[in-house]
Amino acid sequence: MNILFFLLPKSQVAYVQDNFTLRQTVEKLRFHHYTAIPLLDREGKYLKTISEGDILWYLKDHDGLNFKTAEDVPILDVPIERDIRPIHSVAKMEDLYALAMSQNFVPVVDDKGVFIGIITRQQILKYYFYSNRE
């Protein structure tokens, strides 16, 4: 099976860009009710995924930071604790399973590293649950 069958395309996924601030990222996470969000460069290439935990640890280590001063903190200044690895769009299902076991979602990139969407663990589980009931 082609992994793109499970793809939630970029047009339907919230993400932030590397020129965002900490405040903009927090606002986007809250608006979409996400706990983690892909971070892309200006060419649309996947860089990493930033999580609420990354932001909380950053806040803990920076006394005096508040929502207003977070406007001055580039999101690239926030260290990432967990490496959410992307998968190539032509990867095998076995590779997708391996990543989905340890990540809630798997970012998908094309052959140039450009982000094209995500595959959620929930999408994979739903497919197998409903296909095995028949």
Side-chain angles (χ1 to χ4, degrees), residues 74-130:
I75 196 58
L76 290 177
D77 286 358
V78 177
I80 303 301
E81 294 290 320
R82 190 157 179 246
D83 183 28
I84 303 296
R85 294 188 330 229
I87 196 165
H88 193 277
S89 59
V90 296
K92 295 179 179 171
M93 287 298 293
E94 297 81 27
D95 299 325
L96 176 61
Y97 297 147
L99 286 175
M101 287 177 59
S102 63
Q103 301 175 185
N104 288 333
F105 68 90
V106 179
V108 181
V109 297
D110 67 10
D111 56 352
K112 294 182 181 179
V114 174
F115 177 77
I116 62 172
I118 65 170
I119 298 173
T120 66
R121 184 185 310 158
Q122 182 181 28
Q123 290 168 296
I124 297 167
L125 290 172
K126 277 183 184 177
Y127 171 78
Y128 283 102
F129 178 76
Y130 290 114

Side-chain angles (χ1 to χ4, degrees), residues 14-127:
Y15 56 88
V16 294
Q17 292 182 305
D18 61 358
N19 62 342
F20 273 44
T21 65
L22 177 57
R23 180 175 176 165
Q24 289 172 308
T25 303
V26 169
E27 288 173 343
K28 197 156 222 187
L29 283 166
R30 182 173 185 197
F31 179 81
H32 291 283
H33 303 283
Y34 287 173
T35 58
I37 195 165
L39 177 63
L40 313 180
D41 70 11
R42 289 178 194 111
E43 288 80 41
K45 292 184 179 179
Y46 175 79
L47 298 175
K48 54 189 172 182
T49 293
I50 189 152
S51 72
E52 288 177 329
D54 298 324
I55 293 169
L56 288 172
W57 286 116
Y58 185 83
L59 293 173
K60 176 193 168 288
D61 294 338
H62 293 82
D63 288 338
L65 190 62
N66 60 43
F67 204 58
K68 178 69 177 154
T69 57
E71 293 175 357
D72 300 323
V73 178
I75 196 58
L76 290 177
D77 286 358
V78 177
I80 303 301
E81 294 290 320
R82 190 157 179 246
D83 183 28
I84 303 296
R85 294 188 330 229
I87 196 165
H88 193 277
S89 59
V90 296
K92 295 179 179 171
M93 287 298 293
E94 297 81 27
D95 299 325
L96 176 61
Y97 297 147
L99 286 175
M101 287 177 59
S102 63
Q103 301 175 185
N104 288 333
F105 68 90
V106 179
V108 181
V109 297
D110 67 10
D111 56 352
K112 294 182 181 179
V114 174
F115 177 77
I116 62 172
I118 65 170
I119 298 173
T120 66
R121 184 185 310 158
Q122 182 181 28
Q123 290 168 296
I124 297 167
L125 290 172
K126 277 183 184 177
Y127 171 78

